[in-house]
Amino acid sequence: MGADTVDLLVIGGGMAGLSAAARVAAGGGSVVLVEKAERVGGSARFAGFIWTAPTVGELRRVNPDGDPELAAALVDSFADGVAWVRSLGVECRPPVPVLGFGRGHQVDTNHYLDTCERLVRDRGQEVLTGTWTRTLLTENGRVTGAECLMPDGSARRIEATWTLLATGGFQGDPELRTRHLHPQAADVALRANPHSRGDGLALGRAAGAEFGAKDAGFYGHLMPAGVSLSDPARFVDLALYYSEHALLFDTTGERFVDETAGDHLTAMALLDRPRARGLLVADARVHREWISASYVKGIPGVDKFQLCHRAGARCAVAEDLEDFVSMPEEWGYPGAVIRDRIEEFNACAASGGTPAPGRLLDSRPLDEPPFYVIEAAPAVTFTFGGLLIDSAARVLSGSGDAGADGCRPVPGLLAAGADAGGLYRRAYAGGLAPALVFGLAAARTALAARPPADDR
């Protein structure tokens, strides 16, 4: 590599990539960030909380099949990540509970992303938008940068000591969703930016990187079925978070999951059911306490049932359980069966019994009419399956089925954000936090490789 070699080439300008680029620039390093969209930020622009589990033990409890080394790195480095955000003048509000087990901070994510981009540019480093990465450069088995296609169609070679893959996962590609998530995933709605189509996965695999567990799953939420998500404002407005306190029935009229475990987990479970569709049923109590109330402390509540109705979702209000029997045939659900199952659930809950599937966190009956019904479907925000990394964000090659054990680093290659796999396996404890933590870890790795000032 020549004299023009930068310390870090970042491929992807979302939360992970911008965090890494800004940290390297702030540390006096040289960096080029390449983003194929016309604007940096990615799906992080649609999020507002940086959070994760408060302890390694708690993260291991909710995510027992994830990589323990990465889990420890996430929790142990979380406070440093928040301190870095605050050091840039971006407000992190006081910590609040998230999803019942997590703790985190509401953040003006757009302010943070824009501040990172500005810092990189102000330090004389490059941010290239509308630029596609064609291939990684390698020399004697080491990744030495990338060849990129510039907006004017010309090719540019960018040599780098370290190259970071941070393109945001593969949820934007229907074929990859089908291959790595589920055969029904080709048509699943996208609750994210459309640009994350597996570019980092393809680049890393071509360099010998190991892909994590095929069935790692995804983070997403239940959304009203058949409603367009082309407007990003709907990603939060229409998310059916309250499913944790409702009952969900598949097209056979049966419950199939403990809904109280979390809407994000229920979304994964629904993808495995016929047609990946289900009826979400709540009563007046759930409407009062959850559908129209705040989901996270500090966020104003809105009546999601009314929002879904106005958006054209398939929904209805049943004055009593007998109304389920006359459910329209074109909906494709056995209304009488669903009525019977609700009655059985309520009787079990009233007697203190244990329904099947269980209801670990909210076992109260749904017996206060009227009943609010919405047809729901899963929508994916980002994928968990990605390139295996270690706690320094170095990409690994070797035996992926066994996790990171026994794997060796791919020289010169890093990954963070949704391009990195292994942290979560069919579980979730925050998306922005791992992107931030491992983006900063990548920056530390790149800065540590810089020669002493006297040698430059």
Side-chain angles (χ1 to χ4, degrees):
M1 292 184 286
D4 294 332
T5 299
V6 296
D7 296 312
L8 181 66
L9 167 62
V10 179
I11 302 173
M15 185 72 174
L18 280 167
S19 296
R23 183 66 188 86
V24 167
S30 55
V31 60
V32 175
L33 185 146
V34 173
E35 166 59 52
K36 71 176 182 180
E38 296 303 319
R39 183 189 186 195
V40 298
S43 294
R45 291 196 179 276
F46 312 134
F49 273 84
I50 298 175
W51 73 277
T52 193
T55 66
V56 176
E58 186 66 8
L59 181 52
R60 296 289 293 149
R61 182 188 69 80
V62 299
N63 179 41
D65 297 323
D67 185 314
E69 177 189 346
L70 298 182
L74 172 60
V75 174
D76 293 345
S77 299
F78 178 72
D80 289 342
V82 172
W84 158 255
V85 174
R86 285 176 168 154
S87 75
L88 300 183
V90 177
E91 180 185 14
C92 286
R93 301 189 67 180
V96 295
V98 182
L99 290 188
F101 67 88
R103 295 282 286 177
H105 308 264
Q106 187 179 3
V107 176
D108 184 342
T109 312
N110 282 281
H111 183 198
Y112 173 71
L113 298 168
D114 293 340
T115 299
C116 285
E117 180 186 12
R118 184 168 60 252
L119 189 158
V120 173
R121 294 185 185 276
D122 287 349
R123 297 298 176 95
Q125 308 306 306
E126 289 188 277
V127 176
L128 307 175
T129 57
T131 301
W132 178 64
T133 303
R134 177 183 291 170
T135 186
L136 294 180
L137 304 176
T138 59
E139 182 178 330
N140 298 323
R142 182 180 185 87
V143 174
T144 59
E147 181 179 291
C148 300
L149 190 65
M150 304 298 289
D152 63 3
S154 63
R156 176 177 170 184
R157 290 170 61 91
I158 304 173
E159 294 192 346
T161 304
W162 287 95
T163 299
L164 171 63
L165 301 175
T167 66
F170 60 83
Q171 60 274 357
D173 186 281
E175 193 276 329
L176 290 176
R177 292 200 304 266
T178 301
R179 187 192 312 171
H180 295 297
L181 294 183
H182 193 278
Q184 295 192 110
D187 297 324
V188 74
L190 189 62
R191 190 178 173 269
N193 83 84
H195 302 292
S196 297
R197 300 172 185 154
D199 293 358
L201 174 63
L203 292 167
R205 293 299 297 273
E210 188 67 39
F211 182 67
K214 179 180 178 180
D215 63 345
F218 64 94
Y219 167 67
H221 281 290
L222 295 181
M223 306 293 287
V227 174
S228 170
L229 299 182
S230 58
D231 180 1
R234 288 183 164 183
F235 294 170
V236 172
D237 288 350
L238 300 185
L240 304 175
Y241 303 128
Y242 71 86
S243 74
E244 299 169 9
H245 304 276
L247 296 175
L248 183 64
F249 301 91
D250 67 12
T251 55
T252 71
E254 302 294 338
R255 287 182 61 233
F256 55 92
V257 68
D258 180 352
E259 300 92 343
T260 72
D263 181 79
H264 55 294
L265 301 178
T266 301
M268 278 191 281
L270 184 56
L271 183 58
D272 198 38
R273 306 306 292 179
R275 295 176 46 226
R277 295 288 188 274
L279 279 192
L280 191 62
V281 180
D283 69 351
R285 174 186 62 82
V286 173
H287 180 272
R288 183 172 59 251
E289 296 179 0
W290 297 102
I291 295 178
S292 56
S294 174
Y295 179 66
V296 177
K297 183 178 180 180
I299 302 297
V302 294
D303 190 331
K304 287 187 177 292
F305 185 86
Q306 290 300 324
L307 289 179
C308 290
H309 177 72
R310 290 198 292 269
R314 178 176 281 178
C315 54
V317 177
E319 294 303 322
D320 55 46
L321 290 179
E322 289 305 314
D323 281 355
F324 284 85
V325 178
S326 57
M327 187 180 300
E329 183 177 348
E330 63 268 21
W331 282 32
Y333 294 86
V337 174
I338 293 176
R339 175 204 60 189
D340 293 345
R341 296 298 178 264
I342 296 174
E343 290 178 340
E344 292 168 4
F345 172 83
N346 287 340
C348 183
S351 66
T354 302
R359 294 278 288 186
L360 181 63
L361 300 178
D362 187 349
S363 59
R364 289 177 291 177
L366 271 69
D367 57 3
E368 183 181 337
F371 298 90
Y372 296 83
V373 183
I374 295 179
E375 186 176 37
V380 59
T381 301
F382 69 88
T383 48
F384 295 154
L387 307 175
L388 293 182
I389 64 169
D390 63 13
S391 59
R394 297 180 301 176
V395 171
L396 304 175
S397 65
S399 178
D401 291 339
D405 293 344
C407 296
R408 63 187 184 278
V410 177
L413 190 60
L414 305 163
D419 281 356
L423 174 63
Y424 298 140
R425 187 163 183 176
R426 304 197 72 81
Y428 171 72
L432 291 185
L436 172 65
V437 164
F438 292 106
L440 295 177
R444 287 194 299 272
T445 299
L447 287 170
R450 301 184 75 222
D454 291 343
D455 295 339
R456 293 198 297 270

